[in-house]
Amino acid sequence: MRKGFTLVEIMIVVAIIALLAAIAIPNLLGARRTANEAAARANIKVLCTESETFSAGAGNGAYYADLAAFQAASTAATTYCGSTLGGYVYACSMAPGAYTFTATPVSTNTGAIVVTGNTGGQITTAAFGG
């Protein structure tokens, strides 16, 4: 009597593994997208908090005059502004008296929302059209 697996048994095992993968992979991608979105919100909040902290303290009620001044004073600004991290592209703009920070997903696979932080620390989200 020979020992081993028949072709049919191996095909059944492969089919079961494929079925489990088909169920698990979409869930993993959804979890990654959710994590990217949460990170984008947190990163925009950090940028807004640093701008508001400067305004309340050393800025005497004024915000950074321009992006270069913000990046010179802030590690977060140099890390995020103009970078692509966690599936999001970060854009920063500063003008006397105002700022806008935006995190836009690279694709719908990396995020479903655009996160924006505006003067006064207002953080908003909008659906990403892709």
Side-chain angles (χ1 to χ4, degrees):
M1 185 160 103
R2 289 194 233 178
K3 295 182 181 180
F5 297 105
T6 66
L7 180 61
V8 173
E9 290 170 330
I10 293 172
M11 289 177 62
I12 289 171
V13 169
V14 168
I16 291 171
I17 291 171
L19 178 65
L20 292 173
I23 293 169
I25 290 174
N27 291 334
L28 292 174
L29 293 177
R32 174 179 259 175
R33 185 175 33 251
T34 301
N36 288 346
E37 292 168 357
R41 280 189 190 102
N43 295 339
I44 293 296
K45 186 173 184 176
V46 166
L47 292 168
C48 289
T49 300
E50 287 198 12
S51 295
E52 293 299 322
T53 301
F54 173 78
S55 174
N60 293 322
Y63 297 105
Y64 290 100
D66 56 25
L67 185 57
F70 183 43
Q71 288 179 318
S74 169
T75 304
T78 56
T79 301
Y80 300 119
C81 296
S83 299
T84 301
L85 299 167
Y88 272 76
V89 177
Y90 292 86
C92 304
S93 64
M94 310 251 349
Y99 64 80
T100 301
F101 307 121
T102 306
T104 306
V106 173
S107 71
T108 55
N109 292 331
T110 61
I113 60 169
V114 175
V115 183
T116 304
N118 290 310
T119 307
Q122 300 174 348
I123 298 173
T124 58
T125 60
F128 176 62

